[in-house]
Amino acid sequence: MSRTIQTVDAQWLKRLLPRRPAQAHKGYFGHVLVVGGDHGYGGAAIMAAQAAARSGAGLVSLYTRQEHISAMLSRQPEVMANHQHFTTMLDRATVILAGPGLGPDSWGKALLAQLLVCNKPQLLDADALNYLATLSTAEQQQLQHDNRVLTPHPGEAARLLNCPTAAIEHDRIAAVQQLQQQFGGTVLLKGQHSLIAGPKQQLARLSCGNPGMASGGMGDVLSGIIAALLAQGLNSFDAAALGGWLHGSAADQLATERGERGLLATDILLPLQKLLNGKT
């Protein structure tokens, strides 16, 4: 398999996200549905939804437990939060983001059983990946989806491939390519110099990011960014590669200004919006 690696840089932003047309309205830029936030895990889903809204999606909805709805609305009232009518919300969305704070229990598994058979663009992270790892090889193959993005960290990747985490880290390129072959779509393997493997044997590496990103919620924000790019019409590989670059570059700007320690996931949202609009 080819190991020609593309470098993601600011030129990708100009190529993939041109100036918005003057007649644009919210329907032009897609509707992201975030699914997650079981009891006690609302923050992850809220951060993912907030990041999707800040990354240019026309509409963002959150399906979560009732206890998290007031927190979502107080933090970002532009997000439409609900704990009922999941099938209706699924039908209305153009992109589904599942996994942040979803939990390992029956509530999340029942939701995943419905959305995994949906043909809409999807991003799976966190507990959605752990659920996918429990399925048989035949079930995994049946659920392959070219316009889906998986965003595992090395531990999740090891569960998906049923191997030690050390094996993932030993040859990260081989690991991300194997994940892509087994699950289809695009895989972004997180970590230092994150790697992205796409459905047409594409391979890219990120040179941005810093140790300040080693804090809770960073992956949830990344998922929201990529889902918003999918909603704006990017294919799975381009959305994952550009989303990863935006995420890491925003964090690098903050680290330069403030230092790495104490960098929080939601701190990224302000420089992120500036980067999306070509401002630094």
Side-chain angles (χ1 to χ4, degrees):
M1 185 177 290
S2 171
R3 287 198 171 197
T4 302
I5 304 176
Q6 301 179 57
T7 301
V8 188
D9 57 26
Q11 295 304 312
W12 285 53
L13 180 66
K14 295 178 182 178
R15 175 171 61 87
L16 296 173
L17 287 181
R19 183 183 296 273
R20 291 185 164 190
Q23 73 275 20
H25 55 76
K26 60 190 176 186
Y28 275 54
F29 307 114
H31 184 169
V32 174
L33 171 61
V34 178
V35 182
D38 200 355
H39 296 305
Y41 298 102
I46 288 170
M47 286 187 285
Q50 189 175 18
R54 281 291 184 193
S55 300
L59 291 167
V60 180
S61 294
L62 170 64
Y63 185 85
T64 189
R65 291 290 197 179
Q66 184 176 8
E67 68 199 64
H68 305 311
I69 290 176
S70 61
M72 179 75 261
L73 296 179
S74 62
R75 189 171 186 95
Q76 200 75 61
E78 295 87 352
V79 173
M80 298 173 286
N82 207 327
H83 68 102
Q84 298 175 315
H85 313 301
F86 177 68
T87 301
T88 301
M89 294 179 75
L90 196 62
D91 289 343
R92 290 177 177 172
T94 55
V95 171
I96 300 120
L97 190 176
L102 194 65
D105 297 330
S106 58
W107 179 77
K109 290 178 180 178
L111 298 173
L112 286 169
Q114 290 187 64
L115 67 87
L116 283 175
V117 297
C118 175
N119 289 323
K120 295 179 180 181
Q122 300 173 7
L123 186 146
L124 303 182
D125 187 30
D127 290 315
L129 298 176
N130 293 329
Y131 174 81
L132 202 58
T134 67
L135 302 179
S136 68
T137 301
E139 289 172 319
Q140 291 169 354
Q141 290 175 344
Q142 288 176 348
L143 292 171
Q144 283 192 357
H145 188 334
D146 277 349
N147 211 10
R148 176 185 287 152
V149 178
L150 309 183
T151 56
H153 58 56
E156 291 160 343
R159 286 190 283 277
L160 288 166
L161 294 179
N162 193 27
C163 70
T165 303
I168 301 295
E169 296 289 55
H170 176 70
D171 191 338
R172 286 171 52 83
I173 294 176
V176 75
Q177 291 182 319
Q178 185 179 348
L179 284 163
Q180 195 285 321
Q181 281 190 309
Q182 184 166 330
F183 295 96
T186 292
V187 178
L188 189 157
L189 178 59
K190 293 184 281 198
Q192 186 180 25
H193 304 307
S194 294
L195 292 163
I196 304 99
K200 299 178 181 178
Q201 296 192 8
Q202 304 118 306
L203 186 63
R205 177 188 283 127
L206 300 176
S207 59
C208 52
N210 62 80
M213 300 173 75
S215 63
M218 285 290 176
D220 306 310
V221 169
L222 173 63
S223 293
I225 296 169
I226 297 172
L229 295 175
L230 288 170
Q232 291 168 83
L234 275 64
N235 64 41
S236 63
F237 177 76
D238 288 343
L242 180 58
W245 179 83
L246 287 163
H247 186 243
S249 297
D252 285 347
Q253 286 190 14
L254 283 173
T256 299
E257 294 169 6
R258 305 182 187 178
E260 294 174 354
R261 289 187 177 87
L263 180 61
L264 298 180
T266 51
D267 291 341
I268 286 174
L269 297 178
L270 181 57
L272 168 67
Q273 187 187 11
K274 292 180 180 178
L275 276 171
L276 275 164
N277 289 285
K279 301 177 191 238
T280 56

